[in-house]
Amino acid sequence: MNENLFASFMIPVMLGVPITTLIIMFPTMLFPTPNRLINNRMIAIQQWLTKLTSKQLMITHSPKGQAWSLMLISLFLFIASTNLLGMLPHSFTPTTQLSMNLGMAIPLWAGTVFIGFRNKTKMSLAHLLPLGTPTFLIPMLVMIETTSLFIQPLALAVRLTANITAGHLLLHLIGSATLALMNISLFTALITFIILTLLIILEFAVALIQAYVFTLLVSLYLQDNT
Amino acid sequence: TVLVVPVEKKLMDVKIKDLPNWILTQDFTPKGTIRAFQRGYYQYDNKYVNINKGSTLGVSMVLEADVLFNYCVSYKELKHEQLRKNH
């Protein structure tokens, strides 16, 4: 059973060739480009959702920060669509792989830090020290703030990986528990099935929320540094 | 003299015994491959998704094809979980 649990997180291989690139590119097929002023229903719904999220995310930024809106909205759409597609049976979710999430988190975080360093050097260095600290605490606090700065990309990546992986694992476990309990006691199996349904609803929410949190935090780091 | 221009035949018009020859006349450059994918994408899009009273049918057909595809890819690991050995 242990091998089966983690089998869905292994890289899918077709005829000896890993097809991860194809799977990562698949969500792009679900977002067609709007060609006209008034489009079909699918594109209209996507446009409405994109406007909603972009207003929500980018309204607190200065104009310099709003230059990042294309990057952040496409990041949000990518993570949300990849996580939601992972809810389909037997599918492979690329965001469960730590390598991919690190590859997304580190460049974006580094971009915000470097922009801050280059344009407002004093301001970004001043962020390392909170206001109103007693003088004798300053050295220690600077070290703590530096550590917390460098842990930001790690936290971004690991948060996304852990949430999605844990959710999928839990669904697998409770699903197989329901199947195993059906022969032993039908009533317990029913309760487990209700737990499974609730978990599925939670998973859909988590998929969207994680995308939002990732993008929100990147935008926060951007705000600090613009 | 009459100059004969080779006509590009569509797949539905090719007879089965001509199939290997037809495959050889296809464009295998990167640009040609991209054009072929775009043709296929827009054929599906215009027939099932970009319609007047669209519903979720167009997209859900793609998602179900995706489920089947992932099932086929992971069949080897799933074979161990069969409830009975011989169906």
Side-chain angles (χ1 to χ4, degrees):
Chain A
M1 191 191 82
N2 288 333
E3 197 206 87
N4 285 339
L5 259 183
F6 291 104
S8 60
F9 296 122
M10 294 199 304
I11 310 260
V13 165
M14 187 168 77
L15 303 172
V17 175
I19 49 171
T20 331
T21 320
L22 283 177
I23 295 190
I24 292 183
M25 293 200 300
F26 175 62
T28 53
M29 292 210 320
L30 303 170
F31 294 101
T33 16
N35 284 322
R36 313 170 184 208
L37 188 58
I38 306 214
N39 297 293
N40 56 1
R41 287 183 183 179
M42 187 165 101
I43 296 183
I45 292 178
Q46 284 170 2
Q47 275 176 335
W48 174 73
L49 281 170
T50 314
K51 240 189 194 163
L52 195 69
T53 26
S54 59
K55 273 207 181 133
Q56 170 83 5
L57 269 174
M58 307 306 296
I59 206 155
T60 49
H61 286 158
S62 64
K64 238 184 174 168
Q66 277 175 355
W68 276 58
S69 38
L70 180 61
M71 177 76 230
L72 291 177
I73 301 297
S74 48
L75 178 71
F76 174 80
L77 277 179
F78 174 66
I79 300 184
S81 60
T82 318
N83 290 348
L84 283 174
L85 277 176
M87 296 303 297
L88 292 172
H90 302 305
S91 57
F92 172 70
T93 327
T95 39
T96 52
Q97 309 296 317
L98 184 63
S99 48
M100 190 178 107
N101 293 341
L102 274 175
M104 285 197 294
I106 293 187
L108 288 168
W109 163 84
T112 61
V113 165
F114 290 156
I115 281 185
F117 254 48
R118 190 165 172 241
N119 296 339
K120 294 187 182 178
T121 324
K122 264 191 289 185
M123 185 74 154
S124 61
L125 282 173
H127 274 308
L128 287 174
L129 191 65
L131 278 173
T133 61
T135 329
F136 63 96
L137 271 181
I138 288 185
M140 201 179 72
L141 217 53
V142 168
M143 287 210 304
I144 292 181
E145 290 284 330
T146 323
T147 325
S148 90
L149 181 73
F150 278 102
I151 228 175
Q152 278 173 351
L154 264 178
L156 269 177
V158 173
R159 181 185 304 115
L160 186 56
T161 317
N163 268 302
I164 308 292
T165 318
H168 283 233
L169 263 177
L170 211 54
L171 280 167
H172 271 283
L173 276 170
I174 296 200
S176 50
T178 321
L179 271 179
L181 276 176
M182 272 204 314
N183 294 330
I184 302 179
S185 146
L186 201 57
F187 183 62
T188 340
L190 200 61
I191 297 193
T192 328
F193 184 69
I194 294 180
I195 299 181
L196 187 65
T197 326
L198 291 174
L199 261 177
I200 293 182
I201 300 177
L202 179 67
E203 266 311 295
F204 273 103
V206 165
L208 292 168
I209 292 172
Q210 282 308 309
Y212 180 65
V213 165
F214 196 99
T215 321
L216 188 66
L217 284 171
V218 170
S219 84
L220 264 172
Y221 303 152
L222 186 63
Q223 254 185 327
D224 267 349
N225 292 323
T226 331
Chain B
T1 56
V2 175
L3 283 170
V4 177
V5 179
V7 180
E8 284 192 20
K9 275 183 154 190
K10 292 203 227 180
L11 182 56
M12 291 295 142
D13 299 329
V14 174
K15 304 204 186 315
I16 292 189
K17 73 171 163 74
D18 286 337
L19 195 59
N21 292 333
W22 178 84
I23 292 182
L24 286 175
T25 64
Q26 287 308 295
D27 194 11
F28 284 116
T29 64
K31 203 168 180 186
T33 330
I34 292 179
R35 261 198 5 219
F37 273 117
Q38 275 185 336
R39 265 206 313 268
Y41 180 79
Y42 282 113
Q43 273 175 1
Y44 184 85
D45 188 45
N46 287 333
K47 186 164 180 196
Y48 290 109
V49 177
N50 195 3
I51 50 184
N52 272 336
K53 294 209 166 178
S55 59
T56 52
L57 179 63
V59 179
S60 55
M61 277 207 288
V62 178
L63 294 179
E64 281 151 34
D66 186 39
V67 170
L68 278 173
F69 175 70
N70 285 316
Y71 180 72
C72 292
V73 168
S74 50
Y75 179 69
K76 246 186 174 169
E77 284 92 27
L78 288 171
K79 213 164 142 59
H80 300 298
E81 290 178 24
Q82 276 178 355
L83 286 177
R84 286 184 200 289
K85 198 163 155 212
N86 302 311
H87 278 109

